[in-house]
Amino acid sequence: MRIVIAGAGGFLGSALAAEFARRGLDLLCTARDPAAAARGARWPQSQTRWLGVDFDTAPPAAFWSAHLLPGDVVINAVGLLRESRPGAFAAVHHEGPARMFDACAASGVAFVVQISALGANEEAVTAYHRSKAAADAHLRRLPLASAIVQPSLVWGGEGASARLFAALAVLPVLALPRGGRQALQPVHIDDLVCGVATLVERQPAGTRTLAFVGPHPLSFRDYLRELRMQLAHGRRQFVVPLPEGIFLSAAQLAGRWRRSFLDHDTARMLLAGNVAPADEFAALLGRPPRAPEHFIAPAQAEALRRASWLAWMLPALRLAIAFVWIWTFVVSIGLYPRDQSLELLARVGIEGGWAQLALVGAAVFDLALGIATLLVAARGRARWLWPLQLALIAFYTAAISIAMPEFWLHPFGPLSKNLPMCAAILLLWALDSGRRPTRR
């Protein structure tokens, strides 16, 4: 038996591929960038073949027929949470999978697993759920043994949503729509993988639709509280009810940021809740699914707690550094008496017209550094922005130390405060240099 996994470079697909590779099965894995997916794979590649496929282009059935073999098991784990362009949901969730399913029926594929989503039905109000439901309906009409898996929110350390919820859980005060009373039923990635593997083993006839959910519903705020306790935050989180209209407006604004997890549709999905009976899933597993209070292994809790705080503090640190540069420009160009600024420049050997030019030029350069700190992407910050800022601070510190060493003894510490500033920049430099894309 060969396992074909569409979307093996993503969060769910990579977890499924790792499990089937552990079982010694041959894999045909697809990804938009197969070379990058293979480099990031966390399983041995000896029995894995990669195929470059972009579902955004909805490859025709003939493409798939050239790669599928009789007896294959095909798992569709391709998915988008947010559209990159109008029509992307239709292409990636419906048209692309439907053509692949048609090829499965024509090629004698033994079994198909469609990773759909809880809430994907004809009454769905979001394009995300409607497009998933359309692919599910297409699969049900085909003469294929198949299973349509509809997971709730999936928890896994590599998942973007899990990192977001962990980051929300550590905050002492949080504003949530409806006070966080929405009902959720999160499922652990290990249970999802185990359930899919069991379906592949049994290959039941016909088409089954199963909700992959946690053992019981709980409110959003209770879910965050369970995560908070596992992250060793004993104090209770104070939740402030956020008016629904303000939340939806904020989500629409956040949706303008390409990397944002939240937009108008994801906000509506959160408000709607996400629950289903867990009986069929528990019967498939042969045990109750893992409860949210056991999602985080004790050995992983400290690392995740630190990562959750860094998710908030790194942007705050970057904003603070940008403010320092921009405020230095404002003070230098107008708020601080110009004659006193020129006196300081004279003490380091810069006088006359050169002093005027140096004062304005240095101020404008500081402004440019502040703006760049806000706007330049991580790769650019790591390549030139952080090193440039460190070099400039080192130059300023050395020049003042030579010409005005008494500033080291100043009670306000104008030079000694450069040390924590440099430490903060070094931290941001190190983290920007090692940043990897997060799997969704």
Side-chain angles (χ1 to χ4, degrees):
M1 180 171 61
R2 185 180 67 161
I3 309 294
V4 180
I5 301 178
F11 168 54
L12 296 181
S14 63
L16 290 166
E19 173 62 20
F20 288 114
R22 186 187 66 80
R23 298 181 179 212
L25 297 174
D26 291 334
L27 300 177
L28 173 62
C29 294
T30 84
R32 181 176 296 180
D33 185 347
R39 286 194 301 271
R42 299 186 178 181
W43 67 89
Q45 296 293 293
S46 57
Q47 293 177 262
T48 302
R49 185 166 72 88
W50 287 91
L51 181 65
V53 179
D54 185 356
F55 271 71
D56 201 22
T57 64
F63 168 84
W64 292 105
S65 296
H67 297 285
L68 296 176
L69 300 174
D72 279 348
V73 170
V74 175
I75 302 173
N76 177 37
V78 174
L80 296 173
L81 184 63
R82 291 187 53 199
E83 282 190 307
S84 56
R85 61 167 184 84
F89 278 151
V92 174
H93 289 166
H94 175 206
E95 295 163 11
R99 294 171 184 177
M100 182 176 69
F101 299 154
D102 288 342
C104 289
S107 301
V109 163
F111 193 67
V112 173
V113 179
Q114 154 77 342
I115 308 295
S116 182
L118 194 62
N121 53 52
E122 289 132 1
E123 294 80 35
V125 296
T126 64
Y128 172 87
H129 278 138
R130 288 195 302 270
S131 58
K132 286 280 191 181
D136 298 350
H138 187 92
L139 180 58
R140 291 188 186 102
R141 292 192 292 267
L142 294 174
L144 278 168
S146 60
I148 297 169
V149 170
Q150 296 186 327
S152 179
L153 290 171
V154 180
W155 172 273
E158 289 292 310
S161 62
R163 292 182 181 274
L164 171 64
F165 293 137
L168 292 176
V170 300
L171 292 177
V173 179
L174 190 61
L176 294 178
R178 299 178 187 168
R181 295 190 299 274
Q182 302 88 346
L184 306 175
Q185 211 163 340
V187 60
H188 197 280
I189 182 65
D190 290 350
D191 286 342
L192 186 150
V193 169
C194 182
V196 171
T198 302
L199 286 170
V200 170
E201 284 178 359
R202 297 178 183 176
Q203 298 186 16
T207 298
R208 296 183 63 188
T209 301
L210 300 100
F212 276 27
V213 294
H216 54 78
L218 74 170
S219 69
F220 185 25
R221 64 187 298 170
D222 286 343
Y223 179 41
L224 295 180
R225 182 176 62 190
E226 294 292 352
L227 297 178
R228 183 175 176 83
M229 292 176 63
Q230 293 169 75
L231 294 171
H233 280 274
R235 292 187 178 182
R236 180 172 171 266
Q237 188 177 51
F238 185 68
V239 176
V240 179
L242 181 67
E244 186 174 316
I246 294 177
F247 173 66
L248 289 173
S249 298
Q252 194 161 9
L253 182 63
R256 298 178 181 274
W257 183 37
R258 185 175 58 85
R259 298 187 63 182
S260 171
F261 182 84
L262 191 65
D263 66 0
H264 192 262
D265 272 6
T266 55
R268 292 168 72 195
M269 287 190 283
L270 179 61
L271 288 172
N274 204 249
V275 297
D279 300 343
E280 278 193 286
F281 187 39
L284 181 69
L285 296 175
R287 56 172 173 79
R290 189 183 307 188
E293 54 264 34
H294 302 298
F295 274 5
I296 304 174
Q300 300 170 343
E302 180 59 21
L304 184 56
R305 185 182 71 84
R306 292 183 180 182
S308 299
W309 274 114
L310 284 174
W312 296 109
M313 298 312 300
L314 292 180
L317 193 58
R318 188 171 148 207
L319 286 172
I321 290 173
F323 172 80
V324 168
W325 291 114
I326 294 171
W327 184 247
T328 302
F329 161 78
V330 173
V331 171
S332 301
I333 210 70
L335 296 185
Y336 195 76
R338 181 174 288 262
D339 56 344
Q340 294 185 37
S341 295
L342 295 174
E343 287 177 12
L344 292 173
L345 287 172
R347 294 186 61 182
V348 296
I350 306 175
E351 299 180 275
W354 288 109
Q356 296 282 354
L357 181 62
L359 180 60
V360 174
V364 171
F365 191 50
D366 289 343
L367 175 63
L369 288 176
I371 295 173
T373 301
L374 297 174
L375 300 182
V376 173
R379 181 176 297 181
R381 295 196 303 265
R383 283 184 176 178
W384 61 268
L385 183 59
W386 299 134
L388 180 59
Q389 291 187 14
L390 288 171
L392 186 60
I393 293 172
F395 172 75
Y396 284 161
T397 303
I400 296 172
S401 296
I402 294 169
M404 294 168 278
E406 67 274 14
F407 273 37
W408 280 104
L409 303 177
H410 195 287
F412 290 165
L415 286 180
S416 58
K417 288 175 182 174
N418 285 345
L419 297 177
M421 178 79 167
C422 289
I425 293 173
L426 281 169
L427 173 64
L428 290 169
W429 187 7
L431 294 176
D432 280 343
S433 298
R435 182 171 295 186
R436 293 175 57 191
T438 302
R439 285 173 172 157
R440 293 189 177 274

